């Protein structure tokens, strides 16, 4: 049996960069339990569809739906990942489409992090056309100081500073998503890095 650790690693080293704990596994799980209960109360009598935005949201979504004591369904879709095109042009591409029909359904979009808000803005417009009964957005993390678009996040796990974070679904060059806690780049406060751009 693998050891179940509740304490985060003291640090995570990537090349010459050092990441230190920002949110522990315990803090994350406790907050998810609260969010799950809030959603249960809000969706009494409904069978909501949780729609995860790949890749980052998959761990959060998995833990979240276990904390929502309601019948529910799930689906996923994938947008273009961070890259120069997205940052400079403000455009988002669909890389993997949704499978389910959301017409007339209560849908909850699940994100790991909202940074500039561009993805959510795109998603709002996209799903508006699909005619759901209702649409809400949940994000484990939000960087309020990085928001460039006027978007509404209905359920927020944690507001965090505009610093680069990894773990619990969040990657650095596609790695470190499997860390149980969330880590932040140490000494980053002086560095101008408004968006999650590390590739
Ligand atoms: C991240 C995150 C959000 C988006 C947030 O995904 O999961 O979907 O960026 O940024 P925004 O608010 O500025 O649009 P990313 O494109 O890095 O892909 P990933 O989930 O596969 O890591």
């Amino acid at each position: 049996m693998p050891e179940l650790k509740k304490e985060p690693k003291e640090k995570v080293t990537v090349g010459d960069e050092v990441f230190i704990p920002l949110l522990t596994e315990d803090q994350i799980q406790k907050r998810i339990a609260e969010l799950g209960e809030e959603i249960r109360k809000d969706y009494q009598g409904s069978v909501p569809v949780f729609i995860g935005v790949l890749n980052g949201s998959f761990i959060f979504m998995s833990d979240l739906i276990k904390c929502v004591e309601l019948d529910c369904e799930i689906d996923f879709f994938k947008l273009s990942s961070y890259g120069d095109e997205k940052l400079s042009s403000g455009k988002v591409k669909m890389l993997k489409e949704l499978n389910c029909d959301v017409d007339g359904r209560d849908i909850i979009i699940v994100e790991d992090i909202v940074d500039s808000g561009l993805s959510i803005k795109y998603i709002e417009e996209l799903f508006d056309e699909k005619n759901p009964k209702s649409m809400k957005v949940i994000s484990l993390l939000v960087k309020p100081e990085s928001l460039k678009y006027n978007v509404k996040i209905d359920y927020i796990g944690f507001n965090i500073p505009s610093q680069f974070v990894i773990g619990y679904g969040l990657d650095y060059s596609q790695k470190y998503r499997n860390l149980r806690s969330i880590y932040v780049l140490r000494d980053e406060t002086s560095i101008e890095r408004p968006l999650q751009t590390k590739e």
Side-chain angles (χ1 to χ4, degrees):
M1 282 279 284
E3 189 189 356
L4 289 175
K5 279 196 175 151
K6 291 287 180 186
E7 287 304 312
K9 299 169 195 293
E10 198 178 307
K11 62 179 183 180
V12 175
T13 305
V14 186
D16 58 0
E17 295 178 302
V18 176
F19 289 79
I20 55 174
L22 178 69
L23 294 164
T24 67
E25 183 180 6
D26 279 348
Q27 287 172 311
I28 295 167
Q29 295 302 330
K30 185 163 172 266
R31 184 70 188 118
I32 291 174
E34 292 170 356
L35 291 167
E37 178 57 11
E38 221 180 299
I39 291 172
R40 183 190 67 79
K41 287 183 186 154
D42 290 351
Y43 286 85
Q44 286 297 309
S46 170
V47 179
V49 189
F50 288 87
I51 299 177
V53 187
L54 291 171
N55 292 327
S57 71
F58 78 109
I59 293 180
F60 174 44
M61 178 135 141
S62 161
D63 286 342
L64 177 68
I65 63 165
K66 286 180 275 185
C67 293
V68 180
E69 291 188 18
L70 279 180
D71 284 344
C72 64
E73 296 176 22
I74 64 154
D75 202 353
F76 289 94
F77 68 99
K78 185 169 169 58
L79 303 177
S80 54
S81 58
Y82 274 129
D84 288 346
E85 186 196 344
K86 184 168 163 182
L87 291 178
S88 56
S89 68
K91 283 185 188 149
V92 182
K93 276 191 301 194
M94 181 68 79
L95 295 181
K96 178 196 170 297
E97 290 278 352
L98 205 66
N99 293 319
C100 73
D101 181 5
V102 299
D103 191 345
R105 303 296 304 271
D106 290 315
I107 63 172
I108 303 173
I109 305 296
V110 183
E111 271 284 23
D112 54 337
I113 188 165
V114 175
D115 202 323
S116 69
L118 173 62
S119 303
I120 292 299
K121 182 174 173 288
Y122 174 85
I123 290 164
E124 278 176 351
E125 288 166 10
L126 181 82
F127 280 93
D128 228 27
E129 292 168 8
K130 295 182 188 286
N131 202 30
K133 181 176 167 201
S134 72
M135 179 176 102
K136 285 193 181 181
V137 177
I138 180 167
S139 185
L140 179 64
L141 306 176
V142 176
K143 290 181 176 174
E145 289 151 22
S146 294
L147 282 172
K148 289 188 160 56
Y149 297 87
N150 185 17
V151 290
K152 181 167 180 261
I153 315 299
D154 301 279
Y155 305 98
I156 296 175
F158 302 92
N159 283 307
I160 62 166
S162 295
Q163 290 169 246
F164 190 76
V165 286
I166 60 170
Y168 199 73
L170 293 142
D171 73 306
Y172 185 158
S173 296
Q174 299 305 323
K175 298 192 187 73
Y176 308 101
R177 295 191 197 271
N178 55 337
L179 295 170
R180 290 166 175 267
S181 300
I182 292 174
Y183 298 81
V184 63
L185 187 56
R186 194 176 67 187
D187 306 328
E188 208 203 11
T189 38
S190 58
I191 299 172
E192 188 66 26
R193 200 196 310 272
L195 294 166
Q196 288 276 123
T197 53
K198 276 184 176 285
E199 286 295 332

